[in-house]
């Protein structure tokens, strides 16, 4: 069954046709070519597919594309304004929080939602926001420091 | 990839019930955090998915007489943000905080958690110990039952095909009551509970009027009230001897399944006793 849905992706309004059984992850990655959205586990466990839906982090592998009707989606591609990097991206680079980079979009978007809610998060709040994200490379400490640094810069 | 199915998002209850009436394989979709995982693994197949998130009547948290009515579509993040839950049923806050992760809590609903009927589900032992009731809606109208009758086994509930869970009703506790939820999991990050307990204490300060309720999760097919322990603790001064007796009694007759991926039966039995004692110590502090 096909559906025509309206949604906004990275600030751009669009109407797209999707099959009922397509996930939001498949829509964003395969149909719309936002390949910054990664598929790790496909089961909600790893966080690689995290995007912001109406400002809140969600797992795009566990949401149907049709469920995105009338929502605003932000992927990593839409984070930075213009050619520069977003402060969170700069902070990840500076702290060496990126190795293979597969987990990075998910961590950064989850961190953005955290900083939007709590501009100066506590260590506990940072760990909480990272809780559902897996990284096989960095050991997490640099990611934690990158988010913390981005949080304190906003003062 | 998911197998093909048809998807509808009904705008009201009548439309939803009509769609669900089309066949017993119709699948209700709330947050999708259990359903989509099952459909992907092919342990659940359905030609028709009915997304109930458009049903306003299944939303909202508010008092109706002496019950807090919680809509089935309430997400775990909604629970965390609710002043009523925080004030009256803090054990549900304890449970929501350790449930999944931010992204899961944003989508996962209380109704989905209850209907999924997993033995260690985060809302299981808290709702059992709160003596919650559920409201179920079907083509014949509404019916209500205690949540302990609603759960009928691992993944099994009293819902007939075509029926929806619409609300969970939580009876008001007497003023001054206290409650807590504690769990153990394999890792400090995201994981399901290996074992959990929920405890309510009514009249914490005066031992002769004190009532204690205890429920346990992930030690039996369904969340389980420890009624013998409750009787033993009722109206008693809490002494080290009584607690030692409690630790023994709570393990009596428990036979957690050996095939659990998360913990051995011995560990679960031991931890049920330990967590209950920890909860009591926390709740009985002056
Ligand atoms: C990564 C991950 C981590 C998780 N961690 C936890 C955890 O820590 N603790 C925990 O308890 N659970 C956990 N879960 C399981 C799951 O998130 C919860 O059980 C959640 O509450 C399910 O709600 P939902 O709205 O997503 O349900 P859905 O997936 O939409 O539905 C679940 C089931 O209930 C049915 N259903 C849903 N709503 C209704 C209704 N109103 N009436 C009738 N039927 C209905 C559906 O048909 C389906 O069979 C986790 C899941 C994932 C993927
Ligand atoms: S791909 Fe969605 S959480 Fe792993
Ligand atoms: S940088 Fe490789 S998984 Fe995190």
């Amino acid at each position: 069954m096909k559906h025509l849905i309206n949604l906004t992706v990275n600030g751009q309004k669009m109407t797209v046709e999707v099959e009922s059984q397509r996930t939001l992850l498949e829509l964003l990655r395969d149909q719309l070519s936002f390949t910054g959205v990664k598929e790790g586990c496909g089961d909600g466990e790893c966080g690689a597919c995290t995007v912001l839906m109406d400002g809140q982090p969600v797992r795009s592998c566990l949401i149907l594309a049709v469920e995105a009707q009338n929502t605003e989606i932000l992927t990593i591609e839409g984070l930075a304004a213009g050619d520069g990097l977003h402060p969170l991206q700069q902070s990840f680079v500076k702290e060496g929080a990126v190795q293979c980079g597969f987990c990075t979009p998910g961590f950064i978007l989850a961190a953005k939602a955290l900083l939007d809610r709590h501009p100066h998060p506590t260590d506990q709040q940072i760990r909480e926001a990272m809780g559902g994200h897996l990284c096989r490379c960095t050991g997490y400490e640099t990611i934690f420091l990158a988010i913390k640094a981005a949080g304190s810069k906003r003062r | 990839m998911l197998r093909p199915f048809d998807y509808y998002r009904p705008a009201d209850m009548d439309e939803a019930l009509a769609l669900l009436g089309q066949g017993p394989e119709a699948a209700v979709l709330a947050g999708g955090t259990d359903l989509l995982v099952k459909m992907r693994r092919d342990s659940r197949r359905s030609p028709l998915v009915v997304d109930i998130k458009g049903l306003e009547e299944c939303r909202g948290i508010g008092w109706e007489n002496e019950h807090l009515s919680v809509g089935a579509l309430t997400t775990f993040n909604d629970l965390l943000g609710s002043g009523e839950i925080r004030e009256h049923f803090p054990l549900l806050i304890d449970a929501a905080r350790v449930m999944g992760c931010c992204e899961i809590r944003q989508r996962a609903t209380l109704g989905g958690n209850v209907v999924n009927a997993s033995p260690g589900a985060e809302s299981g032992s808290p709702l059992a110990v709160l003596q919650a009731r559920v409201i179920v809606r079907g083509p014949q109208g509404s019916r209500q039952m205690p949540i302990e009758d609603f759960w009928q086994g691992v993944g099994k509930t009293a819902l007939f095909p075509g029926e929806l869970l619409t609300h969970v009703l939580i009876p008001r506790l007497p003023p001054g009551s206290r409650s807590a939820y504690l769990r153990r999991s394999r890792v400090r990050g995201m994981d399901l509970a290996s074992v959990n307990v929920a405890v309510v204490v009514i009249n914490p300060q005066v031992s002769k009027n004190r009532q204690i309720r205890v429920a346990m999760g992930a030690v039996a097919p369904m969340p389980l009230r420890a009624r013998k322990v409750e009787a033993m603790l009722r109206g008693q001064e809490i002494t080290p001897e009584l607690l030692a007796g409690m630790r023994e009694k709570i393990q009596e007759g428990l036979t957690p399944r050996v095939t659990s991926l998360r913990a051995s039966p011995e560990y679960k039995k031991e931890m049920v006793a330990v967590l209950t004692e920890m909860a009591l110590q926390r709740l009985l502090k002056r």
Side-chain angles (χ1 to χ4, degrees), chain A residues 97-104 107 134-138 143:
Chain A
V98 183
Q99 288 188 28
C100 79
F102 197 82
C103 67
T104 314
F107 270 106
L134 298 180
C135 175
R136 299 301 301 272
C137 305
T138 64
I143 298 177

Side-chain angles (χ1 to χ4, degrees), chain B residues 22-146:
Chain B
Q22 289 185 6
E25 322 79 43
V28 173
L29 172 69
T33 60
D34 280 316
L35 184 69
L36 292 194
V37 172
K38 286 185 186 161
M39 290 181 82
R40 207 177 110 98
R41 294 187 183 155
D42 223 15
S43 62
R44 173 104 185 242
R45 285 188 200 179
S46 172
L48 174 63
V49 169
V50 181
D51 182 352
I52 59 170
K53 287 193 288 297
L55 303 182
E56 284 308 313
E57 53 261 72
C58 297
R59 289 188 188 280
I61 300 178
W63 288 97
E64 279 172 16
N65 305 318
E66 288 305 288
H67 290 85
L68 188 70
S69 164
V70 185
L73 290 173
T74 302
T75 65
F76 280 83
N77 273 347
D78 294 337
L79 287 177
L80 286 176
S82 159
E84 296 301 330
I85 299 282
R86 203 164 279 271
E87 182 178 344
H88 297 275
F89 308 113
L91 80 173
L92 280 172
I93 300 286
D94 297 344
R97 283 169 87 152
V98 294
M99 197 278 180
C101 60
C102 289
E103 292 87 357
I104 295 293
R105 293 194 286 270
Q106 179 63 18
R107 300 290 291 181
T109 65
L110 184 65
N113 201 238
V114 169
V115 175
N116 196 55
S118 156
E122 235 62 67
S123 68
S125 54
L127 292 178
V129 86
L130 290 170
Q131 305 187 153
R133 302 177 66 81
V134 293
I135 304 182
V136 163
R137 181 76 185 271
Q140 262 77 43
S142 289
R143 55 195 185 105
Q144 242 194 57
M145 70 193 83

